[in-house]
Amino acid sequence: MTASPAIAPLSGRNRRRHAVNNVMLTLTAVCAFVTVATLFLILAYLVYNGGKSLNFAFFTKLPLAPGETGGGMANAIVGSAEIIALATIIGIPIGFLAGIYLSEWGGKTLPFLVRYTCDLLNGVPSIVIGIFAWTIIVKPMRNFSALAGGVALSIMLIPIAARSTEQFLQEVPRSLREGSLALGASKWRTIANVIVPAARKGILTGMILGVARIAGETAPLLFTSMNNQFWSTGLSEPTASLPVMIFTHAVAPYEDWHRQAWAAGLVLLALVLAANIAARMILSRGASVPRG
Amino acid sequence: MATAPPAVLPPPSKTYSARLRGGDEVAWAITLFFASVVLAITALLVYELWIWGLPAEKKFGFGFLTSRMWNPVEEQFGALPFIYGTVLTSVIALFISVPLGVGAAIYLSELAVPKLSNSLTFLVELLAAVPSVIFGLLAIFTLVPLMRDYVEPGLKAAFGFIPLFSGPTYGVGYLTAGVILAIMTFPFIISVSREALLSVPREQREAALALGATKWESTYQVVVPFAKLGIMGSIFLGLARALGETMAVTMVIGNDPSIHASLFAPGYTIAAVIANEFTEATGNVYPAALVELGLVLFLITIVINGLARLLIIVTSGKGTAKA
């Protein structure tokens, strides 16, 4: 045991207290650096393996049958974009308008209920959302489809969008609202012309974070948009997506598929992290953003 | 809307149609509609899970929850191995992530200078944004060999006399799934615990230090108890995430629908069995049993999530230093 030298005469008990102090405080620092180091190890290992596997063909070619070397995931990149765009088109407007209701039209019971339901929906495991989308879209249409995947992801996006819209609208100063209302503007004009523009940075940040989150989701797509080795010709066809491709390629026993999985992992992670960093830069003040 | 904001004089005798022309009623109705969509979706979700699970409910009743049998060929289905696997992997995850996460949160809120603390928190929150399938990918190719060749034999040599740490080491199984879940729950525990610790009033720390407490004593005996509920909330939030996590676990759990005492043994979780078997489930009862498992998972996670939110709300209402 080493007593801290700064304090001269220490009784045995105090020496022990200071030793405990030093040991425990060092341990907390170790915890912090272990957890952060995990992130760097993950990034480094993924960049190393993904970088080795990534090539131009990855972005332009279709996947090949197992055993053949080469090919790419062009269809999965386009498919992912399609599904995410669909989810955004459905999810963002619903979430945004619900968020406006939560923030701007008071009352007690209904907003509380909606807010609580949003949090509940946000906590539903993504695989359960997948089952839900399967029961309402895939089963009636008797076909796995990009549409079902888009709907599944939009159900995950709605509560995130609603809660972040609400949160940033609430931060708009009261004086701005009162100023507009005092000038004779109606309530919805105040919302449309004053409050929402004042909160636009925050809302945009929330939306980007939400879309980035659903972009990496795999479980809701497994039995909605499923997978496809070829180009899908429409929204009602099974459609390949990057996350599902990573899953199927990683668990398959073929060496070359693993290479493709690493490349796809790198592309997906780069997109998701870029969106996250961009979103935080838009909201320049403070590095910490509450997650939806 | 009946109540005009206080800054505006009540407009004299506006009729309903005049207010409608002003647009407020329309805007209110539109946003109300979309807010109700959220309620409708959630209600429909519960309804659909219930309806599609009915064949399994009728056939097995509550015995579904306690049966250990999972035999698609003979249409015998029981949820117990999956509930066991889900709970066990989550408990392993919390065993690892709670000490590390809370320790890191203490460092970030109490010791680190604000600049370091903010940038480390930023990195930790980026860790939360990494898609779970990527954790799975890394787990298959790095964690599984590592566990099989070093960690599990090491544990077996040291604690082999306990049934938990005995048996053959495959690399895939409960322990590996628990470790990857631990890494995935860190960010939640760290960022929510840190907020709870930061919301402890400064006077509490100063009073303890003035009484002669060391920094650690002030932290451990004063600050942490003050933020106790918030830290509990962060743990429940992490738990809810671990219970519902699908992809990373599916890739390393080993896919064995039976119950093993050994942590090294391959097992199965609720989310993993749905992910693996749903597309190939044929007949009437098989898909229903899987939907029923989904309903069980849904109920478990909403209870845990509800507890977490409650605890977080209670603490953030109490704290004063929160910006």
Side-chain angles (χ1 to χ4, degrees):
Chain A
M1 268 199 269
T2 53
S4 77
I7 303 159
L10 279 176
S11 67
R13 182 167 170 274
N14 276 347
R15 201 173 297 153
R16 200 180 63 239
R17 287 178 56 210
H18 280 91
V20 167
N21 182 46
N22 290 338
V23 168
M24 294 312 289
L25 294 184
T26 315
L27 275 183
T28 62
V30 170
C31 290
F33 288 100
V34 163
T35 47
V36 174
T38 316
L39 174 68
F40 279 109
L41 281 178
I42 286 176
L43 282 180
Y45 199 72
L46 192 69
V47 169
Y48 170 72
N49 274 294
K52 248 186 354 189
S53 322
L54 199 59
N55 52 26
F56 190 64
F58 179 84
F59 297 100
T60 54
K61 295 241 168 68
L62 283 176
L64 296 176
E68 293 177 64
T69 310
M73 291 193 182
N75 61 340
I77 295 170
V78 174
S80 260
E82 228 172 80
I83 294 168
I84 293 165
L86 209 57
T88 309
I89 292 168
I90 303 170
I92 293 285
I94 298 179
F96 176 67
L97 289 168
I100 289 182
Y101 176 80
L102 287 179
S103 159
E104 300 304 314
W105 270 284
K108 283 236 164 80
T109 338
L110 193 60
F112 173 81
L113 197 65
V114 173
R115 204 171 286 133
Y116 193 80
T117 312
C118 275
D119 288 348
L120 198 152
L121 198 56
N122 198 9
V124 173
S126 54
I127 189 92
V128 175
I129 302 277
I131 297 182
F132 176 51
W134 179 84
T135 63
I136 60 169
I137 310 263
V138 176
K139 207 62 187 165
M141 287 176 68
R142 294 156 192 274
N143 199 6
F144 297 107
S145 63
L147 180 68
V151 168
L153 292 187
S154 76
I155 293 169
M156 305 196 66
L157 186 55
I158 289 170
I160 303 175
R163 291 290 269 144
S164 74
T165 302
E166 183 205 359
Q167 183 198 342
F168 287 107
L169 288 180
Q170 294 262 290
E171 280 180 16
V172 174
R174 201 180 155 77
S175 53
L176 271 178
R177 287 159 216 267
E178 288 176 352
S180 168
L181 291 171
L183 286 171
S186 65
K187 185 157 179 157
W188 78 269
R189 280 200 171 278
T190 304
I191 294 171
N193 296 338
V194 178
I195 303 175
V196 170
R200 68 179 187 284
K201 268 190 186 173
I203 294 174
L204 188 62
T205 304
M207 301 296 176
I208 295 176
L209 287 179
V211 173
R213 170 157 167 216
I214 60 159
E217 282 295 340
T218 315
L221 299 181
L222 286 175
F223 30 83
T224 52
S225 62
M226 219 172 123
N227 204 348
N228 195 337
Q229 293 298 106
F230 307 99
W231 294 103
S232 68
T233 48
L235 289 181
S236 57
E237 300 260 310
T239 305
S241 60
L242 274 179
V244 176
M245 277 287 190
I246 297 174
F247 174 58
T248 54
H249 279 60
V251 296
Y254 317 113
E255 197 63 37
D256 198 57
W257 276 32
H258 294 165
R259 195 184 58 77
Q260 296 280 7
W262 282 113
L266 180 62
V267 171
L268 181 64
L269 186 70
L271 291 175
V272 169
L273 289 189
N276 265 272
I277 292 168
R280 282 156 214 264
M281 280 166 90
I282 292 172
L283 195 79
S284 47
R285 69 184 166 80
S288 172
V289 180
R291 278 182 314 280
Chain B
M1 294 298 290
T3 51
V8 186
L9 284 175
S13 70
K14 255 193 174 179
T15 60
Y16 189 78
S17 62
R19 277 189 295 157
L20 204 59
R21 254 176 275 126
D24 279 4
E25 246 65 10
V26 178
W28 172 75
I30 290 174
T31 55
L32 174 66
F33 171 76
F34 283 104
S36 334
V37 165
V38 176
L39 297 179
I41 287 175
T42 313
L44 189 63
L45 192 151
V46 177
Y47 173 79
E48 290 283 335
L49 287 181
W50 178 257
I51 288 295
W52 284 90
L54 265 183
E57 280 151 35
K58 285 212 179 103
K59 187 163 176 194
F60 305 113
F62 279 107
F64 182 71
L65 295 177
T66 52
S67 163
R68 296 173 61 158
M69 189 80 153
W70 187 263
N71 190 339
V73 180
E74 291 173 17
E75 298 215 320
Q76 286 300 318
F77 300 104
L80 200 61
F82 309 102
I83 297 175
Y84 174 78
T86 305
V87 172
L88 182 60
T89 50
S90 302
V91 167
I92 296 171
L94 289 188
F95 241 101
I96 302 166
S97 66
V98 167
L100 273 172
V102 175
I106 290 176
Y107 177 78
L108 292 175
S109 75
E110 305 297 311
L111 292 174
V113 290
K115 210 168 178 183
L116 180 67
S117 172
N118 283 338
S119 30
L120 287 184
T121 308
F122 172 69
L123 289 176
V124 166
E125 284 178 2
L126 279 189
L127 190 58
V130 176
S132 74
V133 70
I134 288 183
F135 280 107
L137 176 69
L138 285 152
I140 286 188
F141 296 110
T142 60
L143 196 59
V144 169
L146 198 72
M147 298 295 285
R148 185 183 55 220
D149 298 336
Y150 299 102
V151 178
E152 291 183 349
L155 282 171
K156 198 171 163 182
F159 306 105
F161 54 91
I162 310 172
L164 280 180
F165 299 109
S166 58
T169 59
Y170 301 101
V172 293
Y174 299 117
L175 188 62
T176 309
V179 170
I180 197 72
L181 282 178
I183 296 174
M184 299 179 70
T185 47
F186 280 152
F188 292 83
I189 294 183
I190 293 176
S191 67
V192 179
S193 292
R194 174 177 171 265
E195 302 246 312
L197 289 166
L198 284 177
S199 72
V200 175
R202 198 181 157 77
E203 292 79 7
Q204 297 280 340
R205 299 185 176 88
E206 286 171 354
L209 293 174
L211 287 171
T214 61
K215 180 95 186 169
W216 169 251
E217 285 163 348
S218 129
T219 304
Y220 187 67
Q221 293 172 12
V222 178
V223 178
V224 171
F226 202 94
K228 193 172 58 197
L229 288 176
I231 295 175
M232 289 290 287
S234 80
I235 294 172
F236 277 107
L237 213 57
L239 178 60
R241 160 130 179 171
L243 289 169
E245 179 46 51
T246 312
M247 298 320 297
V249 174
T250 306
M251 292 158 94
V252 299
I253 188 71
N255 305 345
D256 177 12
S258 43
I259 295 177
H260 302 275
S262 168
L263 297 185
F264 304 149
Y268 230 145
T269 66
I270 297 178
V273 72
I274 300 173
N276 275 332
E277 300 189 0
F278 201 78
T279 41
E280 56 203 47
T282 49
N284 200 15
V285 183
Y286 193 5
L290 290 168
V291 174
E292 192 68 2
L293 278 176
L295 187 61
V296 171
L297 183 63
F298 172 79
L299 293 176
I300 297 174
T301 48
I302 56 169
V303 169
I304 302 283
N305 252 314
L307 274 175
R309 306 250 172 226
L310 207 65
L311 289 169
I312 292 169
I313 290 168
V314 168
T315 34
S316 57
K318 195 172 69 176
T320 49
K322 202 170 172 185

